[in-house]
């Protein structure tokens, strides 16, 4: 019975049209989305109103992080909501529990309906465990290969610990070297800086694999403003490298910290506003 159901879901996935990302290499500046984890409490309080406010801020898309409002079992209706707001689903963060043998077909069908091409594993403690990182890369690769059958991808998103030393390099380098070149690496610029790594060097090291990047500031001990902008980050050079070297198609604004006096929604708006002049310059 389970095999029959799996085959039926696979048939449905294959029957859907083939989706491609909105931008390809060496085109104009990428589109800009927002990681919905940034405004998770607002989303819980008013799902539709929050999406509408993000659209009004000028975002091109949103990146899902587990909250689908009343549409957890109805991607078709959720797609209609996004279409009405002029938003695209740039990607989604999902855990391996959604990609096991029991769930992967339904997960891929759900996101294929939303026209999402790429899913990212956002966190896995095996990624910085010397005894388990090989197992992790094998599972990541296997899931990616399954997704590729449906013109989709499974990738990985970093935090800071992936840049800890491992075998004379780093865990991140090990993961990148032991996964296919087709597997996307979502670079989180905030955690890259926090780990004292060079973002541009990392982008250039993995050409065409940085299909999307999180633009964020990790502001520990109030040493930096968490708002994108005047915080010592060479955003224009970083974004230029993302476009040229990473072939990045989506810039994803993420806000995990909020200055005193600003709500999460106001913080996201402030970061988006500071990013706009850079995007406009690069789009010329």
């Amino acid at each position: 019975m389970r095999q029959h159901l799996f085959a039926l879901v696979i048939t449905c996935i294959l029957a859907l049209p083939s989706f491609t990302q909105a931008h390809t290499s060496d085109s104009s500046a990428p589109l800009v989305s927002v990681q919905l984890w940034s405004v998770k409490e607002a989303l819980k309080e008013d799902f539709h109103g929050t999406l509408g406010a993000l659209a009004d801020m000028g975002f091109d898309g949103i990146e899902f992080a587990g909250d689908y409002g009343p549409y957890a079992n109805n991607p078709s209706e959720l797609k209609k909501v996004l279409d009405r707001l002029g938003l695209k689903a740039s990607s989604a963060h999902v855990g391996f529990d959604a990609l096991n043998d029991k769930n992967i077909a339904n997960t891929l069908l759900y996101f294929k309906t939303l026209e999402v091409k790429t899913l990212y594993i956002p966190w896995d403690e095996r990624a910085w465990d010397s005894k388990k990182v090989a197992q992790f890369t094998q599972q990541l690769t296997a899931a990616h290969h399954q997704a590729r059958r449906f013109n989709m991808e499974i990738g990985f998103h970093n935090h800071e610990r992936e840049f800890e030393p491992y075998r004379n390099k780093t865990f991140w380098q090990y993961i990148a070297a032991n996964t296919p070149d087709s597997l996307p690496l979502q670079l989180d610029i905030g955690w890259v800086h926090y780990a004292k790594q060079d973002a541009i060097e990392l982008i250039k090291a993995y050409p065409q694999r940085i299909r999307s990047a999180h633009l964020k500031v990790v502001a520990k001990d109030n040493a930096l403003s968490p708002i994108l902008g005047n915080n010592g980050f060479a955003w224009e050079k970083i974004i230029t490298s993302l476009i040229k070297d990473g072939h990045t198609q989506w810039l994803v604004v993420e806000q995990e910290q909020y200055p005193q006096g600003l709500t999460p929604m106001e913080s996201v708006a402030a970061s988006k506003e500071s990013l706009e002049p850079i995007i406009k310059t690069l789009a010329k």
Side-chain angles (χ1 to χ4, degrees):
M1 184 69 170
R2 178 177 294 178
Q3 290 181 337
H4 176 73
L5 179 60
F6 182 85
L8 178 61
V9 174
I10 296 303
T11 301
C12 292
I13 292 176
L14 292 174
L16 288 168
S18 175
F19 301 118
T20 57
Q21 296 282 21
H23 281 264
T24 55
S25 61
D26 296 327
S27 66
S28 60
L31 297 176
V32 181
S33 71
V34 57
Q35 201 347 296
L36 291 182
W37 184 259
S38 308
V39 293
K40 57 185 181 297
E41 297 304 325
L43 210 63
K44 290 177 184 177
E45 293 176 7
D46 184 355
F47 184 82
H48 296 94
T50 299
L51 291 183
L54 294 171
D56 289 342
M57 290 178 196
F59 283 103
D60 301 300
I62 48 95
E63 181 179 59
F64 285 106
D67 191 339
Y68 311 100
Y71 307 104
N73 298 308
N74 197 340
S76 296
E77 287 302 312
L78 179 53
K79 180 65 170 61
K80 292 177 183 178
V81 172
L82 298 181
D83 287 345
R84 285 196 296 269
L85 294 172
L87 292 171
K88 298 178 182 295
S90 61
S91 49
H93 280 192
V94 299
F96 270 126
D97 56 337
L99 299 171
N100 59 27
D101 290 342
K102 178 182 178 181
N103 297 323
I104 188 168
N106 286 322
T107 298
L108 293 176
L109 177 59
Y110 186 93
F111 288 107
K112 188 89 171 182
T113 304
L114 290 173
E115 299 189 14
V116 172
K117 180 179 173 66
T118 308
L119 308 178
Y120 291 102
I121 304 296
W123 174 275
D124 194 304
E125 293 183 1
R126 293 175 299 170
W128 54 85
D129 186 327
S130 60
K131 296 181 180 179
K132 298 179 180 179
V133 66
Q135 176 197 59
F136 168 71
T137 57
Q138 291 167 5
Q139 186 177 3
L140 182 62
T141 297
H144 174 63
H145 283 321
Q146 284 190 271
R148 293 268 288 179
R149 293 170 57 195
F150 315 121
N151 194 37
M152 297 176 71
E153 305 171 320
I154 307 293
F156 185 55
H157 169 92
N158 71 276
H159 288 75
E160 83 276 24
R161 295 203 62 183
E162 290 87 352
F163 298 106
E164 292 178 359
Y166 179 63
R167 294 188 176 181
N168 298 318
K169 294 186 178 180
T170 66
F171 285 102
W172 184 253
Q173 288 171 301
Y174 177 87
I175 293 167
N178 288 277
T179 51
D181 287 342
S182 62
L183 187 145
L185 302 169
Q186 187 179 56
L187 207 62
D188 187 305
I189 305 300
W191 287 118
V192 165
H193 276 91
Y194 185 75
K196 295 181 172 56
Q197 301 290 308
D198 188 310
I200 293 177
E201 284 186 7
L202 288 171
I203 296 164
K204 290 182 176 181
Y206 309 108
Q208 302 189 45
R209 295 187 70 176
I210 317 296
R211 309 232 227 290
S212 78
H214 274 205
L215 305 189
K216 179 175 70 184
V217 177
V218 178
K220 298 291 187 179
D221 302 321
N222 298 315
L224 297 171
S225 168
I227 302 298
L228 302 181
N230 297 323
N231 41 41
F233 287 31
W235 287 116
E236 186 167 342
K237 290 181 179 179
I238 291 169
I239 295 171
T240 297
S241 182
L242 285 168
I243 297 168
K244 179 181 177 182
D245 305 308
H247 290 201
T248 302
Q249 300 154 1
W250 283 95
L251 302 175
V252 184
V253 172
E254 183 177 34
Q255 204 75 44
E256 291 186 327
Q257 296 167 281
Y258 317 100
Q260 186 174 4
L262 292 184
T263 66
M265 290 291 285
E266 290 169 340
S267 298
V268 164
S271 283
K272 172 67 165 59
E273 185 178 3
S274 72
L275 187 64
E276 286 178 356
I278 299 172
I279 298 298
K280 289 179 180 178
T281 297
L282 296 177
K284 291 180 180 179

